[in-house]
Amino acid sequence: MVTYDIAVVGGGPAGLSAAYAAAKAGGKVILLEKDESIAHNIRTSGVTWIDEIEKLGIKSEHYNPIKNYSFISSSNEVTIRGNTPKACVLNVRSTYQHLAMLAAEAGAEIMVRSRVTNVVTTPEDRRICGLKAKTPKGETVINCKVVIDASGFSSSIGRSLGIVKEWRRYGIGAEYECYCENLDHETWVLMVGTKYSDAGYAWIFPVSKNKARIGVGVGRPETYSDPLQKLNDIIDKKLRPLDEIRKIQPMELHYGFIPNEGPRTPIVYDRLILVGDSAGQSNPLVLEGIRYAIEYGRLAGNIAMKCVSQECNKEGLEEYEKIWRDKSQAMIKSALRVQKRWISLSDEEWNREIDILREMSVEEFVDFIKAEFTVGKLLKFGLNHPKLATRQLLGLVMKS
Ligand SMILES: Cc1cc2nc3c(=O)[nH]c(=O)nc-3n(C[C@H](O)[C@H](O)[C@H](O)COP(=O)(O)OP(=O)(O)OC[C@H]3O[C@@H](n4cnc5c(N)ncnc54)[C@H](O)[C@@H]3O)c2cc1C
C-alpha cells in the first residue's frame, strides 16, 4: 500500500494551497474533497483585497474590482469613494479551480467525492498514521505521515479525534448569486440594523456588470433566526437599496457557516495541522478568510514537508503555529473587538456609527475594515480627525 507524506482533508482554499505547497516541496501528497468537484458548493461571498490576493498569484481574470464602499442603516448611509479599486469580489469557482490546477501541476493527487470518515491511529501508541475515506473507488485506507485538517467549519478531523470542540460562536450566511438589471458593479454595499439582519448584516457584492451576490449573515448565539428567510424577505420587499437594482433574478443559492470566535489553541498536534476555518484563522469582523486560508495553507504544506523525514511530532510542526500567530493574532484580536461593538449596536446606534465611518478616507476605511491599523497610521489619523468618537472607533483596532 502507498504511504503518502501528507494527506489533506478538504479542497477549499486552505487544503488546495497546502497540497500545492507540499507537492511543490517534493512531497507525495493526496487531497480528499467530499463534494463532487472543487468549488461545487460555494460557501463564501468571495470579497477580498486586490494587493493581497495578487501577491498570492490570483490574477485579475478571477475577480471584479471594487472601489467604493457603502454602508446603509435604517435611516442613514455613507459611500466611501476611492479613485482606484482596492477590494474585489472573486469568481470563487474559477479561483478555487485555479488553486486545484496549481496543486495538480505540482504533483498532488486530488480525489473528489471522497469523504474522510475516520482517522487511523497506531494500535500501540494511538499516533495518527492514516485516514479512512469513502471514495468513488470504494472505501479506502490512506497511509500518511502528516494529516492536514482543512475541512473548514466542521474541523472534521480534529473533532473525530475528540481534540477540538464545536464552535460556540459562529456566523451563518445565505446568499443568492443574481442577475441584477441595474447594478453599480464598482461599489459594494453593507446593510446594517434589524431591518436587514437581527445580528449581523446584509450585503450586495457585485461579481460582474449585471451579476451580484446578495446575502444575509447572522451571528450565533446572538440570534437563532434563519438568514435565508431574512434574505427572501428583503428581496421580496425590495428594501433600499435593492429597489434601485430593479429586476433581481437569483441563479445560485449559497449557504455557509464560519467560526467567529478567534482561533483554536493549539492548531498543531502530533502528525496533525489545522488550517483555514478549521483552525479559526479568518478575520472575524467581516468574515474574511480566503486569503488567509491560501497563505496559511501554503505555510502548513511547507512546514509539514520540513518534518516528514523526522517524527512529525507537535514540536516539529510548531513553527507553523508560531509564524501564523506572529502575523495574525493581533489582527484577529482587533477585529473581535470591533465585532463585539458592532454586534450589539441598536438601529439608532448604527445610524450614528455611520456618521463616524463618514469621517474616514478610503485608505483609513480599508485599513480599519482589514483590522490592520499600525501605530503610525493611528497617530496620523488622530491628527486628521479631532472627533473623539472617530478616534475611539479606530482605537479598537489598535490596542494589541
Ligand atoms: C456566508 C459566508 C460568507 C463569506 N464571505 C467571505 C468573503 O467575502 N471573503 C472571504 O475572504 N471570506 C469569506 N468567508 C469565509 C471564507 O469562505 C472561509 O474563511 C474560507 O472558505 C476558508 O477556507 P477553508 O479551505 O478553510 O474552508 P472551506 O472553504 O470551507 O473548505 C473546506 C472543504 O473541506 C471539505 N470537507 C469538509 N469535511 C470533509 C471531509 N470529512 N472529507 C473531505 N472533505 C471535507 C468541504 O466540502 C470543503 O470543500 C465567508 C464565509 C461564509 C460562511
Side-chain angles (χ1 to χ4, degrees):
M1 194 181 277
V2 188
T3 295
Y4 291 88
D5 292 316
I6 316 282
V8 181
V9 183
L16 294 166
S17 305
Y20 160 69
K24 198 157 173 259
K28 185 155 183 55
V29 179
I30 187 162
L31 178 147
L32 300 118
E33 165 54 52
K34 70 178 169 50
D35 292 345
E36 42 269 69
S37 63
I38 299 300
H40 184 86
N41 291 311
I42 292 183
R43 307 174 179 91
T44 184
S45 305
V47 171
T48 191
W49 303 98
I50 292 175
D51 278 2
E52 276 83 357
I53 206 76
E54 292 236 343
K55 270 187 221 147
L56 296 168
I58 307 298
K59 302 253 161 54
S60 58
E61 71 215 56
H62 296 293
Y63 61 75
N64 174 51
I66 299 291
K67 59 182 186 188
N68 310 314
Y69 314 92
S70 288
F71 270 80
I72 297 188
S73 65
S74 59
S75 62
N76 202 356
E77 58 186 82
V78 60
T79 299
I80 300 167
R81 294 189 182 277
N83 294 325
T84 52
K86 300 232 180 279
C88 63
V89 184
L90 293 171
N91 177 332
V92 175
R93 208 159 269 133
S94 83
T95 304
Y96 290 10
Q97 291 273 340
H98 167 73
L99 295 173
M101 287 294 284
L102 290 179
E105 278 163 18
E109 277 177 54
I110 297 176
M111 294 192 72
V112 289
R113 197 151 40 87
S114 298
R115 177 189 288 274
V116 174
T117 52
N118 240 318
V119 182
V120 184
T121 53
T122 53
E124 59 288 0
D125 54 5
R126 296 188 51 77
R127 286 161 75 81
I128 294 170
C129 61
L131 297 169
K132 274 189 193 156
K134 284 187 179 157
T135 78
K137 295 177 183 168
E139 292 217 27
T140 313
V141 173
I142 287 148
N143 294 326
C144 64
K145 297 176 189 162
V146 178
V147 171
I148 297 184
D149 181 350
S151 61
F153 181 81
S154 64
S155 310
S156 62
I157 301 308
R159 296 244 331 265
S160 80
L161 286 166
I163 53 180
V164 303
K165 297 206 172 83
E166 276 184 42
W167 297 103
R168 248 178 346 98
R169 294 180 59 78
Y170 55 95
I172 309 179
E175 169 187 90
Y176 288 117
E177 191 160 305
C178 312
Y179 162 77
C180 297
E181 187 182 356
N182 176 44
L183 182 70
D184 173 358
H185 64 91
E186 294 184 321
T187 302
W188 58 239
V189 186
L190 293 178
M191 297 160 276
V192 292
T194 49
K195 235 163 83 173
Y196 302 102
S197 168
D198 297 336
Y201 53 88
W203 59 86
I204 303 172
F205 294 144
V207 184
S208 62
K209 197 161 162 275
N210 286 105
K211 203 196 259 186
R213 300 192 186 116
I214 303 178
V216 169
V218 296
R220 301 270 195 270
E222 280 75 15
T223 176
Y224 282 87
S225 68
D226 176 10
L228 183 56
Q229 208 175 340
K230 193 75 170 180
L231 176 61
N232 289 330
D233 193 46
I234 65 170
I235 292 181
D236 288 348
K237 288 186 181 146
K238 284 275 172 78
L239 290 192
R240 183 170 158 61
L242 299 175
D243 53 340
E244 287 174 2
I245 296 178
R246 298 198 292 267
K247 185 172 168 57
I248 295 175
Q249 176 55 60
M251 293 186 293
E252 268 186 48
L253 173 62
H254 306 155
Y255 203 90
F257 296 77
I258 182 168
N260 209 2
E261 61 184 63
R264 296 192 186 281
T265 307
I267 57 170
V268 292
Y269 298 84
D270 287 347
R271 302 186 185 179
L272 174 67
I273 292 183
L274 271 55
V275 66
D277 279 4
S278 174
Q281 288 172 331
S282 58
N283 170 339
L285 177 55
V286 277
L287 305 183
E288 193 214 338
I290 297 171
R291 68 186 160 109
Y292 302 111
I294 298 174
E295 180 178 353
Y296 298 124
R298 289 180 187 168
L299 180 67
N302 278 323
I303 302 286
M305 276 308 295
K306 273 171 80 175
C307 290
V308 285
S309 55
Q310 304 139 38
E311 250 311 287
C312 306
N313 55 17
K314 185 171 188 255
E315 288 70 40
L317 298 171
E318 251 160 9
E319 186 185 354
Y320 155 76
E321 178 155 351
K322 183 173 181 331
I323 296 175
W324 163 73
R325 278 194 196 282
D326 288 350
K327 283 189 86 172
S328 272
Q329 186 117 311
M331 174 280 291
I332 292 181
K333 278 190 184 159
S334 300
L336 281 171
R337 278 194 292 268
V338 183
Q339 184 218 74
K340 198 169 161 209
R341 171 183 169 115
W342 278 4
I343 206 107
S344 62
L345 291 183
S346 65
D347 288 356
E348 255 325 294
E349 286 166 330
W350 259 121
N351 293 335
R352 287 197 291 274
E353 192 84 348
I354 285 192
D355 284 330
I356 301 180
L357 295 174
R358 198 188 308 286
E359 296 283 312
M360 296 184 193
S361 70
V362 69
E363 286 74 23
E364 289 162 347
F365 172 74
V366 168
D367 282 343
F368 171 71
I369 210 84
K370 286 158 99 178
E372 282 175 4
F373 242 70
T374 60
V375 179
K377 280 180 184 170
L378 190 73
L379 287 175
K380 201 168 137 218
F381 189 88
L383 293 175
N384 291 345
H385 297 278
K387 278 194 188 159
L388 183 64
T390 320
R391 289 211 305 272
Q392 278 172 342
L393 182 59
L394 264 297
L396 289 179
V397 289
M398 267 308 304
K399 280 185 199 146
S400 309

